[in-house]
Amino acid sequence: MRDLFSTARQLLSICWHQNRRKTIVAVTLMIAGAVAAPLTALGLRWLIDAALDGRVADAVSAGVTVAALAVAALTLGHFAHIAHFELSELNVVHMDREIIALANGSPGLAHHERADYADKLTVLRREMQQLRSSLEALLALAGLAVAMVLTAVLLAMVNPFLLLLPLAAVPPLVTGRIAERMVDRAKLATAQDDRVAQRLFQITTDAGPAKELRVFRLQREVLARHRSLWDGVTRRLWRSHQAATLVRTAGQLCFAAGYVVCILLVVRDAAAGRRTVGEVVLSIALAAQVNQQVAAAVAQLQQFQQITNAFVRLNEMRELIDTAEPVAADSEPPTRLSEGIRLRGVEFGYPGAAAPVLRDVDVTLPAGTSVAIVGENGAGKSTLVKLLCGFYQPVRGEILVDGVELRRIPLEQWRSRIAAGFQDFVRFEFLAREAVGVGDLPRITSGPAVSAALGRAQATDVVDRLDHGLETPLGKTLPQGTELSGGQWQKLALGRALMREEPLLLVLDEPTSALDAAAEHALFERYAAQSRELAAKTGAVTVFVSHRFSTVRMADLIIVVADGRIVEAGDHAALVRAGGLYAELYELQAEAYR
Ligand SMILES: Nc1ncnc2c1ncn2[C@@H]1O[C@H](COP(=O)(O)OP(=O)(O)OP(=O)(O)O)[C@@H](O)[C@H]1O
């Protein structure tokens, strides 16, 4: 119950901030419309008693009042709808922003790894679709609450025993809530399978996977998996709905019994001459309304319960997400690096994973150097990069930037001194200028800055081919948007990575995987030259991850990662001389090219 009130308070407060006038209009009209119905029953008593007593003027006034109240009962809800419809739309936008802000409000990425976070997000997205109708449900509930109190008072005036009737409304309310919880538990239990099924559905309908589905003739396999998951989910939900219906029916039967008893009471009084005919009509009309009020309240409560669940989940998710900076961040990034970045005894494991991904990592990335990280798939290279970017915190050991612990530097400030290109880059479907310019937001409108970055990334050709150059809309979501190839998108992502001119750390985590080896080699030769320029300016460290040894060999320092540990480090010549894992991998690749 506390959750319901808390949600009502939050929802009204959001409406209040969106538009006070409309909130007041919607609440007033909804309550006025709801109380008009019991008042109509009161008017009927007045009308019938006046008519039977022969008071013509009274009967006419009563008739007019009853007609006016009936019109109000029928129409005010619709007028309220005009006001709350717009508020609901504004609320949806507001909550979408809340969820986006929540998911991106944490300096780190740890919450994205948590299964409970993912489950809650799946259910939350679905429940938030109810937001549009939730305000109507809340207003209807408020109106019903006032109408029920008024009905109870009127019934008590006829015969205090009639108060039993609203009391009989309690079991359906309680059972309604129990039933809702049963369904909610089932939804949460099936959320994971539901998510996987949705992902499979996406795979079968998106353009990207279509090629592999056809080549490997996977349609049936994927459909079978989707069906099996979906059958399981539906079966579980269906069972919970069945059980919930039984629980609800039990509550409604309690109410029906109370209703019959109350009507018999009034009819008995009237037969004994203790009640007027008007009072009998009033009681029957009100009793019928109580029935409707209870049914409406239960339905609206169910509706509102869903959005309450969403708000509760939203609050739980807020707790899951660690928005705090790691420790008191009391330092700031240096203007230029003089020593470099040192990892000392670093250990890290992903949240929820049994074993650490990185262990005993001890290495210095000297200022002004280019560092290549190599190793087999899954060795931990990207994880190392993520730690350097501050997406995660080491569970043991420390990362020092010119001797200052990274966790003492506010992440926002550290990020503003990083430039990065990732393998799983984002395809920003913006104007081409913006898709690159977001790499340095303050200069997003600067055509020359964007062109310079594209030049550094050797990606000018991508824009040259576009109809409107930098001002061309990209992707399928924009009208007249131009779709690019995977490699072209990647080149723009590289341009984005090179937008910032004075980073302390430039991270390139396989950002050229869609380019051919020669293009990557040429690009990295330019990077090497640039990183020397950058090094002279800010002492920046350029860290890149690549599986191509022709690129890797250019680095000042090569770090070889195997099984979560740094097994070798040195320059190309030294590592080849040492004859270890690097030499072996290098030789294997060189042979393939011979
Ligand atoms: N988000 C994640 N959550 C849990 N485990 C992860 C996550 N990302 C990576 N891992 C695990 O951590 C290990 C190292 O992954 P990482 O991506 O760092 O490897 P990598 O060396 O970059 O591999 P690749 O060359 O294939 O890109 C792998 O075993 C992987 O399964």
Side-chain angles (χ1 to χ4, degrees):
M1 208 60 173
R2 231 182 44 218
D3 289 342
L4 284 176
F5 282 116
S6 154
T7 304
R9 198 173 40 73
Q10 288 183 63
L11 203 56
L12 282 176
S13 134
I14 297 170
C15 293
W16 189 251
H17 283 105
Q18 304 286 0
N19 190 322
R20 289 179 187 194
R21 195 178 59 80
K22 286 209 165 81
T23 309
I24 293 171
V25 171
V27 171
T28 312
L29 288 178
M30 207 68 170
I31 290 180
V35 295
L39 288 179
T40 309
L42 198 58
L44 274 179
R45 182 187 73 174
W46 182 21
L47 175 66
I48 287 166
D49 285 345
L52 289 178
D53 291 351
R55 288 178 279 122
V56 178
D58 260 12
V60 170
S61 308
V64 172
T65 310
V66 167
L69 285 169
V71 169
L74 288 172
T75 57
L76 288 184
H78 297 298
F79 288 121
H81 182 81
I82 298 170
H84 67 65
F85 174 77
E86 196 185 330
L87 279 172
S88 297
E89 292 302 313
L90 292 170
N91 286 354
V92 169
V93 177
H94 173 89
M95 290 314 292
D96 277 355
R97 275 203 223 117
E98 273 271 300
I99 295 176
I100 293 170
L102 191 66
N104 291 283
S106 156
L109 295 179
H111 58 286
H112 284 292
E113 317 297 343
R114 300 183 57 151
D116 50 351
Y117 172 84
D119 286 348
K120 283 192 166 64
L121 194 60
T122 305
V123 180
L124 182 65
R125 278 201 191 119
R126 195 163 285 181
E127 282 170 345
M128 274 300 165
Q129 289 166 13
Q130 310 290 331
L131 193 63
R132 274 192 182 81
S133 43
S134 63
L135 181 59
E136 183 171 7
L138 173 62
L139 294 178
L141 277 172
L144 281 168
V146 177
M148 284 169 101
V149 170
L150 183 62
T151 307
V153 170
L154 293 176
L155 284 173
M157 278 163 54
V158 177
N159 184 338
F161 281 113
L162 294 185
L163 278 179
L164 267 179
L165 202 51
L167 280 184
V170 175
L173 290 178
V174 173
T175 52
R177 296 250 308 142
I178 294 173
E180 191 60 40
R181 277 209 206 107
M182 290 163 79
V183 174
D184 190 46
R185 267 200 301 275
K187 272 198 234 165
L188 204 54
T190 51
Q192 190 172 336
D193 283 353
D194 186 15
R195 203 171 60 244
V196 179
Q198 283 180 37
R199 179 74 194 120
L200 288 174
F201 177 78
Q202 214 182 341
I203 287 179
T204 55
T205 50
D206 282 2
K211 294 189 291 298
E212 288 203 43
L213 284 187
R214 278 161 187 68
V215 170
F216 298 120
R217 305 183 65 185
L218 289 175
Q219 292 100 325
R220 274 204 193 159
E221 171 66 21
V222 173
L223 278 177
R225 285 179 187 224
H226 177 267
R227 184 175 187 145
S228 137
L229 284 165
W230 200 239
D231 283 352
V233 169
T234 317
R235 244 195 327 274
R236 176 85 162 83
L237 288 179
W238 173 239
R239 274 204 303 270
S240 77
H241 277 292
Q242 271 181 320
T245 305
L246 283 179
V247 171
R248 279 197 192 107
T249 309
Q252 295 290 359
L253 282 176
C254 289
F255 176 76
Y259 179 76
V260 171
V261 169
C262 287
I263 295 300
L264 286 179
L265 262 179
V266 180
V267 172
R268 193 197 60 182
D269 280 358
R274 289 193 294 271
R275 301 279 158 237
T276 66
V277 178
E279 281 173 327
V280 174
V281 172
L282 171 70
S283 310
I284 291 175
L286 285 177
Q289 281 182 27
V290 171
N291 197 11
Q292 285 166 7
Q293 286 166 354
V294 171
V298 171
Q300 298 292 3
L301 261 179
Q302 279 167 15
Q303 176 80 35
F304 195 64
Q305 179 70 46
Q306 290 185 4
I307 201 69
T308 299
N309 294 342
F311 272 88
V312 170
R313 240 179 283 283
L314 194 66
N315 290 335
E316 286 170 357
M317 281 172 67
R318 283 197 182 105
E319 280 161 27
L320 282 184
I321 296 173
D322 182 12
T323 49
E325 291 281 350
V327 291
D330 54 2
S331 195
E332 52 184 50
T335 323
R336 71 185 314 282
L337 274 182
S338 49
E339 293 166 34
I341 302 172
R342 174 156 189 217
L343 292 95
R344 194 158 58 187
V346 167
E347 179 175 317
F348 174 76
Y350 283 98
V357 173
L358 291 172
R359 267 158 302 180
D360 308 324
V361 175
D362 260 300
V363 70
T364 299
L365 318 179
T369 58
S370 57
V371 180
I373 307 179
V374 296
E376 290 174 349
N377 293 127
K381 305 179 293 293
S382 297
T383 306
L384 202 52
V385 164
K386 289 185 206 166
L387 290 182
L388 289 172
C389 293
F391 294 142
Y392 302 94
Q393 298 300 317
V395 289
R396 206 161 289 147
E398 54 192 4
I399 299 174
L400 303 160
V401 178
D402 266 2
V404 176
E405 261 192 89
L406 182 54
R407 62 177 84 209
R408 305 207 77 91
I409 301 176
L411 279 168
E412 282 281 306
Q413 290 189 33
W414 177 236
R415 300 260 168 79
S416 67
R417 299 302 306 277
I418 296 176
F422 298 102
Q423 187 179 9
D424 47 353
F425 56 88
V426 181
R427 296 174 185 216
F428 287 108
E429 300 201 346
F430 300 158
L431 296 178
R433 174 178 48 72
E434 295 169 332
V436 178
V438 289
D440 191 11
L441 267 184
R443 296 191 304 151
I444 189 171
T445 52
S446 164
V450 169
S451 298
L454 286 170
R456 287 194 287 275
Q458 299 200 327
T460 312
D461 59 314
V462 177
V463 174
D464 286 346
R465 280 193 213 139
L466 298 174
D467 288 344
H468 304 285
L470 284 178
E471 301 308 310
T472 310
L474 300 179
K476 291 179 202 146
T477 46
L478 289 181
Q480 281 106 43
T482 301
E483 188 49 294
L484 302 178
S485 72
Q488 287 173 322
W489 276 115
Q490 195 164 43
K491 280 185 162 187
L492 292 191
L494 274 169
R496 186 158 68 235
L498 299 184
M499 270 298 287
R500 287 193 177 143
E501 284 178 337
E502 298 198 342
L504 295 177
L505 174 68
L506 171 61
V507 163
L508 300 165
D509 185 357
E510 294 190 62
T512 50
S513 55
L515 305 186
D516 56 58
E520 181 184 285
H521 186 82
L523 196 65
F524 272 95
E525 265 183 345
R526 281 200 68 177
Y527 277 163
Q530 276 159 30
S531 69
R532 277 191 287 279
E533 277 169 33
L534 214 53
K537 254 201 250 172
T538 64
V541 176
T542 301
V543 175
F544 63 92
V545 178
S546 174
H547 287 283
R548 289 171 177 153
F549 283 77
S550 53
T551 303
V552 168
R553 60 177 296 172
M554 288 188 281
D556 301 315
L557 172 68
I558 298 164
I559 294 172
V560 186
V561 184
D563 204 16
R565 288 195 164 81
I566 294 184
V567 289
E568 289 172 30
D571 64 13
H572 173 74
L575 290 179
V576 169
R577 265 200 312 278
L581 181 59
Y582 176 84
E584 194 183 313
L585 293 172
Y586 176 76
E587 194 48 40
L588 268 175
Q589 211 169 81
E591 227 163 62
Y593 280 105
R594 265 178 212 138

